[in-house]
Amino acid sequence: MCGIIGYSGSYSGSFCAQKILLDGLEQLEYRGYDSAGVALQGENGELFLRKKAGRVSVLREACEVAPVNARCGIGHTRWATHGGVNDVNAHPHSCGRVTLIHNGIIENYHEIIAAFGFAGRLHSETDTEVAACLLDYLYQGDPFDALRQAVDILTGSYAFCILFADQPGKIFCIRNVSPLVAAHNESGSFVASDLTALIAYGKSYFVVPEETVMTLSAEGISICDLSGKTVQPEILTVDWDVESAQKGGYPHYMIKEINEQPEALQNTVRPRLRNDLPDFSEEGIPDALLSCCENITIIACGTAMYAGMVGKALMEQTVKIPVSVHIASEFRYDTPLIDSRTLTIVISQSGETIDTLAALRLAKDCGSPTLAIVNVKGSTIARESDYVLYTHAGPEIAVASTKAYTVQLAVLYLLTCRLALLRGCFSQEQGQEFISALLSSSEAMEQMIRQDQMIREAVKMVKRSDHAFFIGRGLDYAFSLEGALKLKEISYIHAEAYAAGELKHGTIALIEEKMPVIALATQEKIFAKTISNVREVRARGAAVILIVKEGAQVDPDVYDIRIDLPVRKDEFAVFPAAASLQLLAYYTSDAKGLNVDKPRNLAKSVTVE
Ligand code: G6P
């Protein structure tokens, strides 16, 4: 949520820092895209500030009218929290000698305004401008000292990049919770909210440690903790390249990422197999963690939470262990009924979602061992959980999650298999069969993506409607939750998922002539029941898009469009089903001429509560 970038260096070229910042902001735009701004600093500390409501392209146009040839600057793309979307509320914010950008929320900004009498100095409605005023107030010529004092006053989450007028060529950074990564090469020093903005400049980077002050200059990066002691960050290497973070010939990131799923699934599963069975010993996960727990709690947000719902259905039916799934933002304010006997699994693509992070911390406080399933290496959730299993999706840029969901599922399937082996629910052979079906799911997804004619037919039906329902039972219900989320977030069609048997307790009143109902009926043991529910909606005029396993016997009167999933085992239907539901949402959004990759009001990484 909000993307930030800073650069100080000797990069030669016509507009140097300006170009690096604008290019970086374009890469970070998925984190927020309602306004953007840059502050460039001249050799003598003079400041050039440009900020605009709208996309980074609007800012770029404004910058290109009067390019600034500076070697140091900071840039920001905003997802509004405090204050509306306009030029004034866009970052950077300046006050006196201080200019800064911020990702996060300063919770006590009202108190700070009152305590320091800042009301008359503020121009925007943002919490961020208050931090600029505070730093200017505290600054007596030593940035470190001002920042150290500010940390004691500010509450909330933040990543700041700060320019001081009398410290030309230097960017000062400090963070609490909100992410920052940094890198240095022969062209200078870089800092950003995430790697996608830095990957063009090299493969080595580090995660900026919390509670430190980092100083960037053309010559290098120095970090010290709040007592002034030098800190050496751990240098990491990126395992993907620039192309992975670009569209590679596809019209949108989302369709590129849908196509990358089969490979991502293999990359996530294969390295964890020994003797064709899952083994997490290289990742330091002891078997006792899985064999001794009495129950499992899964916590996540959005798509990751829906992956958790599939995990719950699968684990309970395979291992007969009680599993509960919680929305992170609810869990953290509930009464958590967990202790050392509960294994807590948190799932997050970004590893930075603030509610998931807070829920993880709460679970640890309750004495529950924690295991994170995370895509971004070195992210806060990955670092703070007791154990981590990384998914290997590579960078996911489209706001609507696709490949991250698939690989989260893949890890949950691996965990289920390991649990089943350890608890005597699977023999070796059953485990190997399960894993072989998991691996062949990537082929099923590939086939689904290649043969999308029926999905395109379904799109013609769905795109005309303002509402759509997704129905299913058991595992099918778990998949349909994600299908409905995908459709609503990128096509703006109101879509809801219902357990098919629950429809007649109210929701069926909403079914009217031609309303699309996407019915999933892939689970043998409840197939007949689901088909009866499909008949009930069809009898009331619904346009039924039925998703079944290839070869399923269904009376053609029951549906308008039938989509066949190339899969034999019920438990693995989710993989091709996910691909079909993602494509349905993608083509619908595209057919409506919407911005598929950057749907309105959303952001990829939600670092506010
Ligand atoms: C946002 C994104 C969703 C994502 C959710 C959780 O809402 O738009 O796509 O599923 O956050 O994000 P995480 O990074 O924790 O998986």
Side-chain angles (χ1 to χ4, degrees), residues 167-440:
Q167 306 276 343
K170 287 188 181 159
I171 302 170
F172 297 86
C173 308
I174 188 152
R175 66 176 279 251
N176 174 41
V177 183
S178 305
L180 272 185
V181 291
H184 176 76
N185 67 17
E186 63 290 348
S187 308
S189 303
F190 305 79
V191 60
S193 297
D194 72 44
L195 272 179
T196 47
L198 303 189
I199 187 75
Y201 308 107
K203 291 217 155 198
S204 296
Y205 72 101
F206 60 88
V207 175
V208 178
E210 286 175 293
E211 293 181 18
T212 63
V213 174
M214 179 173 78
T215 311
L216 269 80
S217 67
E219 293 71 43
I221 300 179
S222 65
I223 306 176
C224 51
D225 66 18
L226 297 177
S227 69
K229 217 167 90 214
T230 303
V231 173
Q232 293 300 341
E234 185 194 347
I235 304 295
L236 303 168
T237 308
V238 198
D239 52 9
W240 42 271
D241 52 19
V242 183
E243 282 79 56
S244 318
Q246 290 173 346
K247 284 189 207 150
Y250 287 96
H252 301 102
Y253 282 112
M254 183 175 176
I255 188 68
K256 174 182 177 246
E257 290 162 4
I258 288 174
N259 275 276
E260 284 170 348
Q261 295 182 105
E263 194 187 335
L265 191 148
Q266 295 284 325
N267 291 344
T268 300
V269 174
R270 286 208 181 272
R272 298 182 163 117
L273 299 182
R274 304 280 167 279
N275 190 24
D276 299 325
L277 292 171
D279 180 321
F280 305 120
S281 52
E282 267 188 22
E283 282 143 310
I285 295 174
D287 280 344
L289 186 74
L290 305 178
S291 55
C292 297
C293 60
E294 287 177 13
N295 54 67
I296 294 177
T297 285
I298 299 178
I299 311 171
C301 299
T303 292
M305 201 259 297
Y306 289 144
M309 297 286 282
V310 177
K312 169 190 161 72
L314 183 79
M315 284 174 183
E316 287 188 339
Q317 77 183 39
T318 315
V319 193
K320 317 281 181 294
I321 184 171
V323 181
S324 58
V325 180
H326 300 264
I327 298 170
S329 55
E330 290 293 312
F331 179 85
R332 55 184 294 201
Y333 299 111
D334 270 353
T335 313
L337 300 176
I338 60 172
D339 57 25
S340 59
R341 292 165 297 183
T342 305
L343 168 63
T344 297
I345 300 178
V346 294
I347 310 176
S348 174
Q349 186 283 129
S350 61
E352 302 293 348
T353 301
I354 194 105
D355 284 319
T356 310
L357 175 61
L360 164 74
R361 289 176 176 163
L362 178 60
K364 287 178 82 171
D365 288 347
C366 294
S368 168
T370 53
L371 167 64
I373 300 176
V374 173
N375 196 44
V376 177
K377 260 198 195 167
S379 54
T380 314
I381 291 174
R383 283 180 288 113
E384 289 200 12
S385 63
D386 298 324
Y387 304 97
V388 60
L389 284 170
Y390 282 112
T391 51
H392 299 300
E396 191 181 64
I397 309 290
V399 167
S401 186
T402 53
K403 61 177 177 171
Y405 173 73
T406 295
V407 291
Q408 285 159 356
L409 291 176
V411 171
L412 289 165
Y413 274 62
L414 285 173
L415 276 170
T416 303
C417 185
R418 189 82 202 144
L419 277 161
L421 287 161
L422 291 170
R423 289 166 179 256
C425 306
F426 272 176
S427 64
Q428 287 240 340
E429 295 69 50
Q430 284 171 312
Q432 282 161 340
E433 241 177 73
F434 184 92
I435 292 300
S436 140
L438 177 58
L439 285 169
S440 59

Side-chain angles (χ1 to χ4, degrees), residues 46 76 175 199 265 312 353 460 466 517 563-564 599:
E46 62 278 30
H76 186 273
R175 66 176 279 251
I199 187 75
L265 191 148
K312 169 190 161 72
T353 301
K460 292 181 193 156
D466 290 332
V517 172
I563 295 174
D564 286 278

